Amino acid sequence: MGIVVLTMKASVIEMFLVLLVTGIHSNKDMNKKIKRPKFTVPQINCDVKAGKIINPEFVVKCPAGCQDPKYHVYGTDIYASYSSVCGAAIHSGVLDNSGGKILVRKVAGQSGYKGSYSNGVQSLSLPRWRESFVVSEGKPQKGVTYPSALTYSSAKSLAAKTGEATKAYQKPPVPGTTAQPVTPMQVTGATATEATATSLPKPSPSTGSTTSSLGPQPVGHRSWELDLWSTSSYASGHHSPRANPGFVPKEELSTQSLEPVSQGDPNCKVDLSFLIDGSSSIGKRRFRIQKQFLADVAQALDIGPGGPLMGVVQYGDNPAAQFNLRTHVNSRDLKAAIEKITQRGGLSNAGRAISYVTKNFFSKANGNRGAAPNVAVVIVDGWPTDKVEEASRFARESGINIFFITVEGATENEKQYVTEPNFSNKAVCRTNGFYSLNVQSWFSLHKTVQPLLKRICDTDRLACSKTCWNSADIGFVIDGSSSVGTGNFRTVLQFVANISKEFEISETDTRIGAVQYTYEQRLEFGFEDHSTKADILNAIKRVGYWSGGTSTGAAINYALEQLFKKSKPNKRKLMILITDGRSYDDVRIPSMVAHHKGVITYAIGVAWAAQDELEVIATHPANHHSFFVDEFDNLHKFVPKVIQNICTEFNSQPRN
């Protein structure tokens, strides 16, 4: 009996083992048959903004052509979610304009975003934004499955009805999990269903309605709704409404509330400083009228990073900046700041204020953008108590457009008390009435708003603005050797005239000088000899052909001593050398000296000129500063190229 039972037990064990082995093989066969679905990278258009995509981390494919400036990008390295995803990828260097795959990860909102130019894309600045993102190469992380289809935020109005199903933000994927959209949940009123065991802190009773906002807001925006509890990022791991899958901030449901602060009027992109009279003589009532005038200007101007920026300096005995260009970047905040200005008292030292603005106000640290014209509007009650001519001249030579508004100027009986007669005409760079306005009464000052704005926004007429056309001392060094010949020499002079007439020429704008050389050198005319374009062109015509050898090195040294030694410190120094042959002397040392002294040298070679020598003479990079022409009659073709390179180089350099 015992033997039979033992035999049965053995049979059962044997059957169990057979079934177990069969099951293992069956599972292996099933695993072989089941293939993982292939991940499809979703494609997006160039204009898709990160804020429209709910997924906190995703891989997408960008098309070609997203480098276009119409696809706005805000920030550098970390971008505001109002930015074009693909535009940000190009700006960051992850993609080029041909497109491709990228990995996008949402991060916390920033208190500010700094614009910059990178990889052919100009990003813009933004004071603050609720959410950010970073871009990297489109290589999926191990253990994370990315969505093949993106989830986009609802485009419906803020007035979403109670119980309406909406899509919410999800938490970032944990490694080893799938980054999929959160299932839409019901939202009742302003209350969200808790999705975790950790409860959110309740809003303070003092907050009143749920439409208030305690979190950071873009300047100039209506308040964000429902964002009451925390400003920490959902990506930081802290609990906040945005981290809670059941919480749906109303701004996610609105396309209107996603609009950022105005970037400003691009047709009036100027850096503007108002110098206001805070002297004791003006009185409290007229000082308030002056402040209202500033507020009216701020209201009329569309202030913003892409348009006009405005700061205020108040002067009495001494000047003081009330706020600079970067302090307030929208009209609303600017008006509020103007209202808070209090009168300083003292004398009316406008000249001292202009000097202060020239030396301190228009700096990069204070928000000066370089590419925007600098404008200073001086408001004077009656007349200044110090002289303004010298300070204004220095300001103009620094590229600042000085405007004078004289209110209730001196009467005939009062003119004997004026420190500097005709001060406003001495202060401005043109006495044609464009830069100076006379207002008979403080009660008429408001009528000046539109005429003033029309002038300061007309950037094409701002003759004192430092641009590539009016900020240089240009010295021509002309080869007059025997190999050139009389006819070709006249062609060279025409080339010199064609370049010269492109510039604004005056004592305070661009100045022209010329040296002719053979074995010897001759100063044809210096920077201070002619102050109008007509005089310069006539002087060029009168240059006579010399004839002789070719000592280019000695000519460069001569030009440095006789021309550029008298150049003004705030002027760009440009040397344009034209030669038709190899120099008899060494050009290396003289060229190095010129470069060391900050003289930007262009070398134009014709016919038998040595190209290797041209490259030595030219400022680095040589391919931007040296040109070779096969014959004299083709010289005129290079005028636009030389001008373009001069202006491109100027616009790429920081100023002030």
Side-chain angles (χ1 to χ4, degrees):
M1 209 41 201
I3 294 172
V4 173
V5 171
L6 191 64
T7 303
M8 288 176 66
K9 285 183 178 179
S11 300
V12 170
I13 291 170
E14 185 177 346
M15 289 176 64
F16 175 75
L17 291 173
V18 169
L19 289 171
L20 181 64
V21 171
T22 304
I24 291 171
H25 284 292
S26 175
N27 284 339
K28 285 183 178 179
D29 292 340
M30 287 178 68
N31 287 338
K32 287 179 182 178
K33 291 176 183 178
I34 297 173
K35 293 183 179 180
R36 291 184 180 181
K38 187 177 180 181
F39 170 56
T40 304
V41 178
Q43 296 192 16
I44 60 174
N45 295 327
C46 297
D47 60 352
V48 172
K49 299 166 185 172
K52 289 290 187 181
I53 301 173
I54 289 179
N55 309 84
E57 191 169 352
F58 50 91
V59 176
V60 291
K61 186 175 182 181
C62 292
C66 295
Q67 202 174 34
D68 195 304
K70 69 182 179 181
Y71 305 121
H72 292 167
V73 177
Y74 301 88
T76 301
D77 297 329
I78 298 177
Y79 302 95
S81 62
Y82 196 73
S83 305
S84 157
V85 172
C86 299
I90 296 174
H91 182 271
S92 67
V94 174
L95 288 184
D96 57 25
N97 200 35
S98 61
K101 290 190 294 184
I102 55 171
L103 173 60
V104 179
R105 182 168 58 88
K106 301 284 187 70
V107 296
Q110 305 291 303
S111 59
Y113 299 84
K114 186 176 182 180
S116 64
Y117 182 81
S118 180
N119 302 305
V121 174
Q122 175 66 59
S123 71
L124 305 171
S125 297
L126 197 63
R128 58 180 72 97
W129 198 246
R130 57 183 172 75
E131 178 190 64
S132 313
F133 68 99
V134 293
V135 187
S136 56
E137 293 183 5
K139 296 179 181 178
Q141 297 179 7
K142 290 183 179 179
V144 180
T145 303
Y146 297 91
S148 295
L150 300 175
T151 305
Y152 291 84
S153 61
S154 169
K156 294 183 180 180
S157 168
L158 271 174
K161 294 182 179 179
T162 302
E164 180 179 344
T166 59
K167 289 185 172 68
Y169 270 115
Q170 65 186 66
K171 293 181 181 178
V174 178
T177 64
T178 302
Q180 294 178 341
V182 175
T183 305
M185 303 186 70
Q186 296 286 338
V187 180
T188 306
T191 306
T193 306
E194 294 285 340
T196 64
T198 306
S199 62
L200 294 169
K202 300 293 181 185
S204 165
S206 63
T207 57
S209 124
T210 55
T211 58
S212 301
S213 173
L214 299 180
Q217 308 170 26
V219 181
H221 269 233
R222 55 179 65 88
S223 298
W224 294 119
E225 299 188 30
L226 302 181
D227 196 3
L228 290 168
W229 295 281
S230 172
T231 58
S232 59
S233 165
Y234 67 90
S236 66
H238 298 293
H239 291 288
S240 71
R242 197 168 288 143
N244 186 344
F247 187 92
V248 187
K250 283 190 179 180
E251 70 267 22
E252 300 304 332
L253 311 180
S254 169
T255 55
Q256 280 189 329
S257 63
L258 285 172
E259 291 300 322
V261 63
S262 170
Q263 289 300 303
D265 181 3
N267 297 316
C268 186
K269 189 174 181 180
V270 295
D271 289 341
L272 176 62
S273 171
F274 272 89
L275 285 67
I276 62 172
D277 192 337
S279 61
S280 301
S281 63
I282 193 173
K284 291 183 178 179
R285 185 180 184 186
R286 287 182 290 185
F287 189 76
R288 285 197 300 271
I289 293 173
Q290 187 175 211
K291 283 172 53 175
Q292 184 57 52
F293 172 74
L294 292 185
D296 292 344
V297 169
Q299 180 66 39
L301 286 172
D302 183 7
I303 299 291
L309 293 178
M310 177 174 156
V312 173
V313 170
Q314 183 184 172
Y315 67 91
D317 290 336
N318 294 296
Q322 302 295 314
F323 46 85
N324 63 34
L325 295 167
R326 68 192 310 170
T327 309
H328 305 292
V329 292
N330 65 72
S331 297
R332 186 194 66 183
D333 288 356
L334 191 58
K335 288 173 64 180
I338 291 167
E339 179 59 33
K340 295 176 183 177
I341 296 174
T342 57
Q343 188 176 358
R344 293 176 62 84
L347 298 175
S348 183
N349 290 331
R352 190 174 294 177
I354 295 168
S355 295
Y356 170 84
V357 165
T358 304
K359 295 174 183 176
N360 302 292
F361 188 86
F362 289 109
S363 66
K364 189 174 182 181
N366 286 336
N368 184 36
R369 292 170 288 183
N374 295 159
V375 176
V377 180
V378 185
I379 304 176
V380 180
D381 174 41
W383 58 88
T385 52
D386 64 349
K387 293 186 177 182
V388 300
E389 182 177 13
E390 186 63 23
S392 298
R393 182 187 61 79
F394 184 66
R396 296 196 309 268
E397 290 180 354
S398 298
I400 300 172
N401 295 271
I402 300 287
F403 284 80
F404 252 77
I405 300 178
T406 306
V407 188
E408 297 182 3
T411 63
E412 285 300 322
N413 292 332
E414 292 172 328
K415 285 183 179 179
Q416 59 181 314
Y417 305 114
V418 177
T419 307
E420 188 177 29
N422 203 24
F423 62 88
S424 62
N425 281 342
K426 292 178 180 178
V428 299
C429 68
R430 298 287 186 274
T431 57
N432 57 4
F434 184 81
Y435 291 93
S436 56
L437 297 100
N438 294 303
V439 183
Q440 297 302 314
S441 166
W442 279 97
F443 300 105
S444 303
L445 183 60
H446 66 279
K447 298 178 182 179
T448 313
V449 172
Q450 289 304 324
L452 176 65
L453 296 190
K454 186 176 180 180
R455 298 178 194 198
I456 65 177
C457 291
D458 188 359
T459 54
D460 291 336
R461 291 190 64 190
L462 293 179
C464 301
S465 176
K466 187 187 285 186
T467 69
C468 63
W469 310 115
N470 58 13
S471 62
D473 282 343
I474 303 177
F476 289 94
V477 181
I478 306 166
D479 184 349
S481 61
S482 303
S483 58
V484 174
T486 304
N488 289 334
F489 188 77
R490 304 318 299 176
T491 303
V492 171
L493 292 182
Q494 186 60 55
F495 173 77
V496 171
N498 288 342
I499 290 180
S500 299
K501 66 186 180 184
E502 292 294 327
F503 292 86
E504 295 293 335
I505 296 170
S506 76
E507 291 179 1
T508 57
D509 295 323
T510 290
R511 303 186 304 170
I512 306 289
V515 166
Q516 184 182 176
Y517 75 95
T518 58
Y519 285 126
E520 300 177 283
Q521 307 84 34
R522 182 168 75 194
L523 180 65
E524 300 293 353
F525 52 89
F527 293 137
E528 298 176 349
D529 292 345
H530 306 289
S531 58
T532 69
K533 189 175 294 187
D535 287 348
I536 285 293
L537 296 178
N538 285 329
I540 293 169
K541 287 181 183 178
R542 291 196 298 267
V543 173
Y545 176 48
W546 204 358
S547 186
T550 310
S551 294
T552 306
I556 294 171
N557 282 333
Y558 182 86
L560 293 177
E561 284 296 316
Q562 298 299 318
L563 269 181
F564 292 102
K565 200 169 185 179
K566 298 178 182 179
S567 185
K568 294 184 178 181
N570 62 319
K571 295 287 189 182
R572 283 187 310 147
K573 296 183 281 289
L574 300 178
M575 181 190 297
I576 301 178
L577 185 145
I578 307 110
T579 182
D580 80 327
R582 184 177 289 277
S583 177
Y584 294 165
D585 62 354
D586 179 59
V587 299
R588 292 180 180 274
I589 300 301
S591 299
M592 287 174 61
V593 172
H595 302 161
H596 181 72
K597 289 185 175 182
V599 179
I600 302 168
T601 309
Y602 287 82
I604 317 293
V606 189
W608 303 279
Q611 287 186 279
D612 60 328
E613 205 167 71
L614 298 176
E615 292 175 1
V616 169
I617 296 168
T619 295
H620 179 80
N623 62 327
H624 288 178
H625 298 88
S626 64
F627 304 92
F628 181 80
V629 190
D630 55 357
E631 54 185 63
F632 285 94
D633 288 343
N634 290 330
L635 260 177
H636 69 277
K637 297 178 181 178
F638 283 81
V639 171
K641 184 64 176 174
V642 173
I643 297 293
Q644 179 186 355
N645 284 19
I646 288 173
C647 286
T648 300
E649 184 171 54
F650 173 81
N651 291 330
S652 68
Q653 299 300 315
R655 278 169 272 167
N656 292 326

